Amino acid sequence: QKEVEQNSGPLSVPEGAIASLNCTYSDRGSQSFFWYRQYSGKSPELIMFIYSNGDKEDGRFTAQLNKASQYVSLLIRDSQPSDSATYLCAVLKGGATNKLIFGTGTLLAVQP
Amino acid sequence: NAGVTQTPKFQVLKTGQSMTLQCAQDMNHNSMYWYRQDPGMGLRLIYYSASEGTTDKGEVPNGYNVSRLNKREFSLRLESAAPSQTSVYFCASKDQGHQPQHFGDGTRLSIL
């Protein structure tokens, strides 16, 4: 079992729809969770981070965390073609606050 | 703001050649990281440095060496390049605690 798992996609959504990206993790001691966006040929850029159970909203983005289910998700409302990218879920390992473990990413394609 | 700066951006090597990838950050971060990214494999940690003067192996350290020259700089060396080391290499840094990593623009390395 991978430490951080994501569906590789592609996830295709029409413009204006809600895109839902999901991630599960195996280390129950994990405390911090991050979503990065990576355009083709570019470096990862941070979109959201979440530490507590529940929802965290920032503009069109909402991160959701459920530690009991070891599940974190990213919702993108009013999806735009410019949101088309690979979204990487990253988890800070419990007990060692220096190593981020990345999932392999979900490719999102927003169709105009 | 420069953030994390990687040099070179592109490099082509012949099998057996050596080279050093340079990384510098101006955010006064304690921790620095080297990743490689290959299609379908996500970001894999090669080495990291939790603080100046310390380095530790990550998931795929074989064939690489690192030097944490000072708090700002963390270099990655390939002593005898192999075609399997063809990849995109990212350097990242983070502050202490549950903070996100910040990435450089990457080095695209091809080994013939």
Side-chain angles (χ1 to χ4, degrees):
Chain A
Q1 181 188 8
K2 292 181 181 178
E3 293 187 79
V4 179
E5 296 210 51
Q6 297 180 255
N7 188 319
S8 61
L11 173 65
S12 183
V13 299
E15 184 175 354
I18 296 175
S20 177
L21 303 161
N22 304 315
C23 172
T24 58
Y25 60 95
S26 61
D27 182 358
R28 283 196 170 275
S30 301
Q31 298 183 27
S32 306
F33 307 86
F34 305 88
W35 282 101
Y36 287 82
R37 177 176 63 199
Q38 187 175 25
Y39 292 112
S40 180
K42 301 294 186 182
S43 61
E45 58 177 322
L46 180 71
I47 299 175
M48 297 268 313
F49 58 90
I50 186 167
Y51 304 145
S52 304
N53 274 331
D55 295 359
K56 179 181 179 182
E57 186 174 319
D58 184 1
R60 296 188 295 113
F61 299 97
T62 299
Q64 299 175 317
L65 176 60
N66 183 325
K67 289 186 177 181
S69 299
Q70 296 175 244
Y71 177 94
V72 59
S73 64
L74 179 70
L75 301 178
I76 306 174
R77 289 181 299 280
D78 189 23
S79 295
Q80 301 296 309
S82 59
D83 294 325
S84 298
T86 296
Y87 289 80
L88 302 171
C89 172
V91 175
L92 200 58
K93 285 181 69 68
T97 58
N98 287 314
K99 290 175 63 175
L100 273 183
I101 306 299
F102 285 85
T104 54
T106 298
L107 177 62
L108 172 66
V110 181
Q111 306 300 325
Chain B
N1 293 335
V4 179
T5 302
Q6 292 183 236
T7 56
K9 294 189 184 304
F10 302 93
Q11 185 71 50
V12 178
L13 293 177
K14 294 181 179 179
T15 297
Q17 287 185 317
S18 62
M19 82 160 295
T20 300
L21 307 185
Q22 307 287 352
C23 176
Q25 52 92 9
D26 62 2
M27 296 175 282
N28 201 37
H29 287 167
N30 286 320
S31 302
M32 298 185 73
Y33 307 80
W34 276 105
Y35 292 90
R36 61 178 290 174
Q37 188 173 40
D38 303 290
M41 301 293 288
L43 283 161
R44 293 185 291 169
L45 183 64
I46 305 171
Y47 271 94
Y48 69 104
S49 172
S51 61
E52 186 178 357
T54 69
T55 61
D56 288 284
K57 294 179 180 179
E59 183 184 354
V60 288
N62 291 344
Y64 305 95
N65 286 301
V66 290
S67 295
R68 184 72 182 268
L69 304 170
N70 47 55
K71 192 171 186 179
R72 291 187 63 249
E73 299 173 286
F74 188 39
S75 62
L76 178 72
R77 183 162 178 83
L78 287 70
E79 291 290 352
S80 179
S84 61
Q85 294 177 304
T86 293
S87 188
V88 180
Y89 291 85
F90 289 105
C91 177
S93 70
K94 72 180 285 290
D95 207 348
Q96 289 179 329
H98 300 270
Q99 299 298 317
Q101 290 182 357
H102 300 267
F103 285 84
D105 289 339
T107 295
R108 284 145 186 82
L109 182 62
S110 293
I111 298 161
L112 306 177

